[in-house]
Amino acid sequence: MPKRVLTTESGAPVADNQHSATAGVGGPLLLQDQHLLEKLARFNRERIPERVVHARGSGAYGYFEVTDDVTGFTHADFLAEVGKRTEVFLRFSTVADNLGGADAVRDPRGFAVKFYTEEGNYDLVGNNTPVFFIKDPLKFPDFIHSQKRDPFTGRQEPDNVWDFWAHAPEATHQVTWLMGDRGIPASYRHMNGYGSHTYQWTNAQGEAFFVKYHFKTNQGIRSLSSEQAAEIAGKDPNSHQTDLLQAIERGVNPSWTLHVQIMPAADAANYRFNPFDLTKVWPHGDYPLQRVGRLVLDRNPDNVFAEVEQAAFSPNNFVPGIGPSPDKMLQGRLFAYADAHRYRLGVNHTQLAVNAPKATTADNYGRDGLMATNAYGRERKNYEPNSYDGPAETGRPLSAPLAVTGHTGTHEAPAHTKDDDFFQAGELYRLMSDEEKSRLVANIAGGLSQVSREDVVEKNLAHFHAADADYGKRVEEAVRALRED
């Protein structure tokens, strides 16, 4: 077989890839050395802006297989029959740290799934927790700023972290999750994934349902203590990436069973708390888990940059039979995620291999921009409607319409009979064993005791007291003991 020839980016053969061109032996470099200039210029541009959140990630390909009939609730084609398989790409991530951070840290984990369906790509963008810290996207940039590096000290500051939470009582539920035993997964394989938000399903008859997604790990839940995590992060910052890569390479393919909770749309208005509040879960006694299918990861990416860093997920990528709910955080993310990718990757990021549809073809009138590969000319018009057999609308909405009423304004969410920022945090605490409670209290006290302002400490303690009397008492005593040392 003939040896492959190294070329420049324009395809010309490279004569010498070991020595730069100079003006005589030992002389200065020549501006005419196109190969040298091209290599240095490309090297300077190898990095793209990292994600502001979910920067550090890992991913893998696999498939989703339907195991149970859900056609009474959605007419989504990829869920249409038992046994049907759809290719997927799943990206895991940590939320707060930078691209160079460690995997084994106390932080929520992203759990983003791209389904390459025959009706287009469906992106389900969630976390490994069923709830989140806030319920309104207007607070999201402030929340993330409080958790990221301080602009003066250049590090994450307990003062900032706990000061924001002191002013966000709705965060108490998620803080209890984060500081509990599941706050540091042992690996990406050993954690659950959740859609977290409430979504809408619509069946063939036009009936609407609200749903929550639960991906239950089939490997079992395994987590790390703070001490174990610190040791692992110091030895191998890439621990989760290494585990996922090696497991799939040796054929130990991780899997999750997808369940959904299903609420008839008519139930939402009079449910005892706002079902679209991202800081709350739906009790399983009210809406039991119903099995849907199995997600399996069986192939590693060939190139982490091309397929993990350039993977772009957006919750507004719906398919027929699935749509949004009035969840305010979801509504904000419908814009923010796609906009982030246009900034990081360019307006044509959907043409990259990892983001392009696989089971169908994107056919629209989007044209031009940086790195456009769909530069159709004579044979296709770039406007619609037209008389040249271009793609046309179907007239069939992807999901049922959402009812709206009232006046525009900056409204609080509608009050339900039992809306409360603390009850579910207390319920979660009361479900824990004594050992789990002790570790939770120690984790909270370890951070809160470092806060410099006493009023911020008091505000946070009030949240734990409101969740559960014992919870608040134990946290307060542990914080006081550490602050007196």
Side-chain angles (χ1 to χ4, degrees):
M1 180 180 294
K3 196 172 182 179
R4 292 170 57 193
V5 173
L6 175 67
T7 75
T8 65
E9 292 184 28
S10 62
V14 172
D16 190 339
N17 193 43
Q18 313 304 317
H19 307 95
S20 303
T22 61
V25 177
L29 300 183
L30 296 177
L31 189 62
Q32 72 182 40
D33 189 343
Q34 183 263 352
H35 180 50
L36 169 67
L37 300 187
E38 183 177 86
K39 284 186 72 174
L40 294 180
R42 168 165 284 281
F43 179 75
N44 287 344
R45 293 162 175 80
E46 279 185 359
R47 296 295 173 261
I48 60 176
E50 71 174 44
R51 290 165 168 87
V52 178
V53 289
H54 297 278
R56 182 173 181 82
S58 302
Y61 293 94
Y63 63 87
F64 177 78
E65 181 177 5
V66 179
T67 58
D68 294 78
D69 183 8
V70 291
T71 55
F73 305 106
T74 178
H75 64 89
D77 182 71
F78 78 101
L79 299 175
E81 58 185 275
V82 172
K84 183 161 188 172
R85 286 189 176 186
T86 299
E87 185 179 355
V88 301
F89 182 77
L90 198 162
R91 184 178 189 270
F92 304 97
S93 56
T94 54
V95 173
D97 213 342
N98 300 101
L99 187 58
D103 287 338
V105 294
R106 188 172 298 279
D107 197 19
R109 300 299 192 276
F111 193 99
V113 188
K114 188 181 293 291
F115 298 83
Y116 298 101
T117 89
E118 295 170 13
E119 296 180 301
N121 290 351
Y122 172 45
D123 290 352
L124 182 57
V125 184
N127 286 328
N128 71 328
T129 61
V131 293
F132 196 61
F133 298 92
I134 53 176
K135 62 182 75 174
D136 192 305
L138 195 65
K139 301 172 76 170
F140 187 74
D142 298 298
F143 164 62
I144 294 300
H145 289 164
S146 75
Q147 311 298 300
K148 299 283 276 187
R149 297 176 186 271
D150 181 86
F152 172 65
T153 66
R155 64 182 188 183
Q156 190 181 53
E157 292 291 348
D159 274 358
N160 301 352
V161 171
W162 288 96
D163 186 35
F164 183 89
W165 289 342
H167 291 88
E170 71 268 30
T172 308
H173 192 185
Q174 174 71 318
V175 170
T176 305
W177 268 90
L178 179 63
M179 296 299 173
D181 280 0
R182 296 193 185 186
I184 314 177
S187 79
Y188 289 132
R189 297 182 297 126
H190 294 93
M191 68 182 196
N192 292 340
Y194 301 89
S196 301
H197 295 289
T198 301
Y199 294 89
Q200 186 205 76
W201 277 6
T202 309
N203 66 17
Q205 291 72 45
E207 296 176 287
F209 304 86
F210 292 119
V211 301
K212 283 186 176 289
Y213 295 90
H214 301 249
F215 290 87
K216 300 290 189 179
T217 176
N218 294 325
Q219 290 70 239
I221 296 289
R222 284 182 52 204
S223 303
L224 302 172
S225 68
S226 297
E227 296 75 19
Q228 290 172 322
E231 181 179 355
I232 290 173
K235 290 181 177 178
D236 180 10
N238 307 296
S239 56
H240 287 29
Q241 163 70 14
T242 301
D243 175 86
L244 181 66
L245 175 76
Q246 292 182 350
I248 295 174
E249 285 297 291
R250 66 177 185 267
V252 182
N253 298 329
S255 66
W256 289 258
T257 299
L258 172 61
H259 299 80
V260 293
Q261 291 177 282
I262 299 176
M263 173 189 288
D267 288 9
N270 298 312
Y271 193 54
R272 64 182 183 273
F273 58 82
N274 180 4
F276 310 116
D277 181 346
L278 185 56
T279 68
K280 294 181 174 63
V281 298
W282 297 353
H284 293 182
D286 294 347
Y287 299 100
L289 295 179
Q290 301 187 44
R291 193 176 66 176
V292 179
R294 186 170 65 115
L295 186 154
V296 179
L297 299 181
D298 59 8
R299 178 166 66 89
N300 284 310
D302 291 324
N303 185 293
V304 172
F305 175 79
E307 298 165 89
V308 179
E309 286 311 299
Q310 293 195 129
F313 299 84
S314 178
N316 63 5
N317 288 339
F318 293 114
V319 292
I322 304 177
S325 78
D327 179 339
K328 293 178 78 172
M329 282 296 294
L330 172 60
Q331 293 282 328
R333 283 173 167 157
L334 298 182
F335 162 77
Y337 275 61
D339 187 60
H341 304 316
R342 295 183 189 106
Y343 154 69
R344 291 184 63 246
L345 303 169
V347 71
N348 290 306
H349 67 273
T350 54
Q351 297 174 34
L352 296 171
V354 69
N355 299 321
K358 294 183 183 293
T360 185
T361 301
D363 197 0
N364 55 56
Y365 297 93
R367 293 292 185 274
D368 304 339
L370 291 173
M371 304 302 293
T373 61
N374 60 349
Y376 306 119
R378 178 183 307 180
E379 74 278 15
R380 297 194 189 185
K381 301 301 180 183
N382 65 342
Y383 59 88
E384 197 278 335
N386 62 59
S387 304
Y388 297 87
D389 298 322
E393 62 198 18
T394 66
R396 298 188 299 272
L398 299 187
S399 57
L402 298 173
V404 295
T405 185
H407 301 281
T408 60
T410 54
H411 305 292
E412 291 187 17
H416 291 240
T417 56
K418 293 190 176 180
D419 274 330
D420 177 275
D421 288 331
F422 307 109
F423 177 76
Q424 289 200 352
E427 288 280 274
L428 179 58
Y429 176 79
R430 290 185 285 274
L431 284 173
M432 296 179 180
S433 67
D434 288 341
E435 292 79 10
E436 288 173 318
K437 289 176 181 176
S438 296
R439 290 189 290 269
L440 168 68
V441 168
N443 290 333
I444 292 173
L448 189 53
S449 63
Q450 299 178 54
V451 173
S452 62
R453 291 182 53 138
E454 192 65 30
D455 61 326
V456 173
V457 175
E458 292 298 333
K459 286 176 182 176
N460 279 286
L461 290 177
H463 297 168
F464 301 122
H465 280 292
D468 181 273
D470 180 66
Y471 189 8
K473 178 175 178 291
R474 292 180 64 173
V475 172
E476 182 169 3
E477 290 175 349
V479 170
R480 296 296 175 223
L482 288 172
R483 288 172 76 83
E484 288 170 2
D485 284 350

